Amino acid sequence: MNLKVGSSISLMAALALSTTSCATVSEQQAEKTAEIQKPNIIYILADDMGYGDLGSYGQTKIKTPNLDQMASEGIRFTQHYAGSTVCGPSRASLLTGLHSGNSPVRGNPTWTDNRKPYDLQDSDITLGEMLKTAGYQTAVIGKWGMTEDRSFPEDKINPSMPNQQGFDYFFGFKYHHDAHYYYWDKLWENNSPYWLKENDYMNNKGIYTHDLFSNKAIDYIKQSDKTKPFFLYLAYTIPHLPMTVPEDSKAQYKDLGWPKRKMNTQGHYRNDKEGNVTYAGMVSRMDRDIGALLKLLKQQGLDENTLVIFASDNGHHYDNGFFDSNGPFRGKKRDLYEGGIRVPFIAKWANKIKPNTESDHISAMWDMMPTFCELSGADCPKTDGVSLLPTLLDNRKQEQHDFLYWEFNERQGPIQAVRHQNWKLVRFYEKPAELYDLSTDVGEKNDVAAKYPETVKKITKMMDGARSPHSQFSLKPLIKQ
């Protein structure tokens, strides 16, 4: 596949002199000017944060002033979907622009036919690779989770690592398992281990890794080459389990009379003792750090040439109803009902995106590939998405998806789902399909499949034709070993 740098016409080109040498100089200046005019892109991803966890999406207990301000200064989508209902396949969908029926990674580690992890391949084209062809500096900071094969020798460079998948800089967690600890002692910087020898991840002592990610993101923006645009994929681990956060982030939530939720402190997840105060503190800490990043963009004069996006990788996992993390929706993480896949999506771009706007456009994580292709001028690889620029910039008619597709296969799987206009079809293995009319039943409480058999037949045909075969992700029941 030929991924070419998109061409741009600049006024600098018109100033070229008639001599060959001067023309060459002018052409070089034109190319540099065109690159500067391409917007910086920052995509911030929360981990296991529900649709209802932000004030701008109805949250009343957790304070998120910076993300709420970002929504007021930009656009808030109300029908945006994650790539999957768990971390790994959702991130693969983001990186490749393919839904979970076509993407290379369709399940979390070892939820495969041979029970072995399946990683990104050399042939996969990522956002990083695409944007590099358009002259972008590229970085991923935080949770990668696309390199899970631990049998690969660590003294050799794994082709699924970020540096080998189009990212100039990487700092963070290589593996999903390691990201289950906020005080883990081994991160990665590019292809080399980054040790935090003072960290005691079994007792939650040392450096809180989330803070490192925020600091590295700030440093990356400060140190980036200002003559070239950059793409920063900031993949936070908050508010994924375990429930733990430094005490200063809990202060505003103590003594509010909230019900206590006792957490297991000695299991796989090394939780703090009390859950509700900790969860709120985690989300607010992330909000605080995103606020610092947005402030830096203004201080650096980058605000008007930077598109900032915030989303979550799937539905919530922690909440038992106290925070109403899934808002009006049914289900949570590991469900293909709305609570497991519908997520917040906020975009801000000063003087480009109209402030305080809301969109009910039906969109998905795999739309980022064509959106960023159009923004950067790069040729776009094969994708299941459509560009969101018409909606973001409010300047032309928005292309609509015919349907959105998901599949998920863990203990209760395989499960498939299709969103077609206002219809939602959910099908469990060897069970009759369920049909919901989201225009009147956003909580998916009333299965109307028996009432609309022709609609079920039509959407089932879409579902059956949506996926491509994969050597390790077939639609058969799996038992994790």
Side-chain angles (χ1 to χ4, degrees), residues 95-236:
L95 288 166
T96 64
L98 300 170
H99 63 56
S100 57
N102 290 323
S103 64
V105 179
R106 305 183 188 184
N108 269 349
T110 73
W111 286 105
T112 57
D113 287 5
N114 68 3
R115 310 303 189 268
K116 297 179 181 179
Y118 190 90
D119 294 337
L120 288 180
Q121 307 294 301
D122 278 332
S123 58
D124 298 322
I125 299 171
T126 67
L127 288 174
E129 290 172 309
M130 179 274 293
L131 287 168
K132 278 184 70 68
T133 69
Y136 274 69
Q137 307 164 82
T138 56
V140 53
I141 295 173
K143 181 177 177 179
W144 177 241
M146 295 286 99
T147 304
E148 294 295 327
D149 183 2
R150 290 178 183 261
S151 68
F152 197 94
E154 284 201 348
D155 60 347
K156 294 184 179 180
I157 297 176
N158 193 315
S160 61
M161 285 288 280
N163 290 155
Q164 283 58 59
Q165 292 289 335
F167 290 94
D168 302 316
Y169 180 72
F170 166 55
F171 182 85
F173 289 114
K174 178 179 178 179
Y175 303 114
H176 271 84
H177 170 274
D178 299 0
H180 290 182
Y181 299 88
Y182 285 91
Y183 295 89
W184 193 246
D185 61 356
K186 184 182 180 182
L187 302 178
W188 290 79
E189 189 161 35
N190 297 318
N191 289 311
S192 299
Y194 183 99
W195 290 98
L196 297 166
K197 294 182 179 180
E198 67 274 34
N199 274 20
D200 177 0
Y201 58 86
M202 296 300 285
N203 293 293
N204 290 341
K205 294 180 179 179
I207 297 173
Y208 195 62
T209 51
H210 165 87
D211 294 349
L212 278 179
F213 301 152
S214 295
N215 292 337
K216 286 289 186 179
I218 293 292
D219 290 343
Y220 179 78
I221 294 171
K222 288 181 177 178
Q223 297 167 11
S224 63
D225 182 350
K226 298 304 185 290
T227 67
K228 298 174 66 176
F230 67 79
F231 169 56
L232 171 60
Y233 167 33
L234 179 54
Y236 280 132

Side-chain angles (χ1 to χ4, degrees), residues 8-19 22-31 33-34 37:
S8 297
I9 299 175
S10 169
L11 291 175
M12 294 297 296
L15 301 178
L17 301 178
S18 58
T19 64
C22 290
T24 300
V25 171
S26 294
E27 288 168 4
Q28 291 173 345
Q29 284 182 308
E31 291 175 2
T33 301
Q37 291 172 344

Side-chain angles (χ1 to χ4, degrees), residues 295-309:
K295 182 178 179 180
L296 175 69
L297 292 176
K298 292 182 179 180
Q299 292 173 341
Q300 296 275 311
L302 300 172
D303 188 46
E304 294 188 5
N305 197 39
T306 302
L307 169 63
V308 184
I309 292 172

Side-chain angles (χ1 to χ4, degrees), residues 307-466:
L307 169 63
V308 184
I309 292 172
F310 175 84
S312 177
D313 67 343
N314 49 250
H316 78 93
H317 182 59
Y318 165 79
D319 186 33
N320 60 5
F322 177 67
F323 292 111
D324 199 19
S325 289
N326 56 343
F329 306 126
R330 175 183 179 181
K332 58 181 182 179
K333 180 179 181 178
R334 292 188 173 85
D335 291 320
L336 289 185
Y337 296 116
E338 295 292 282
I341 53 178
R342 197 185 293 204
V343 293
F345 182 91
I346 300 170
K348 175 183 179 294
W349 187 0
N351 296 325
K352 298 292 192 304
I353 293 176
K354 187 179 178 181
N356 203 29
T357 55
E358 179 181 297
S359 173
D360 62 0
H361 170 64
I362 301 169
S363 59
M365 194 173 271
W366 51 90
D367 291 331
M368 296 305 99
M369 178 67 85
T371 301
F372 296 167
C373 284
E374 186 174 0
L375 268 176
S376 65
D379 283 352
C380 204
K382 182 181 179 181
T383 175
D384 292 316
V386 299
S387 173
L388 299 181
L389 276 194
T391 297
L392 293 176
L393 303 182
D394 194 27
N395 61 2
R396 65 183 191 276
K397 187 176 180 180
Q398 172 68 58
E399 181 182 357
Q400 305 293 317
H401 285 280
D402 186 22
F403 65 89
L404 303 178
Y405 172 86
W406 300 267
E407 61 183 57
F408 177 63
N409 195 4
E410 288 191 5
R411 290 181 179 87
Q412 71 274 45
I415 316 168
Q416 295 168 279
V418 164
R419 169 83 192 258
H420 171 62
Q421 298 173 357
N422 285 324
W423 296 108
K424 175 83 172 292
L425 193 78
V426 180
R427 184 171 70 186
F428 290 80
Y429 184 69
E430 294 187 337
K431 292 184 178 180
E434 304 168 12
L435 182 68
Y436 302 96
D437 181 357
L438 297 181
S439 67
T440 59
D441 180 26
V442 74
E444 294 168 295
K445 297 177 181 178
N446 303 304
D447 178 5
V448 294
K451 186 177 180 180
Y452 298 99
E454 290 303 313
T455 301
V456 171
K457 183 178 179 180
K458 174 184 176 182
I459 302 178
T460 297
K461 186 176 180 180
M462 294 177 178
M463 179 179 285
D464 290 340

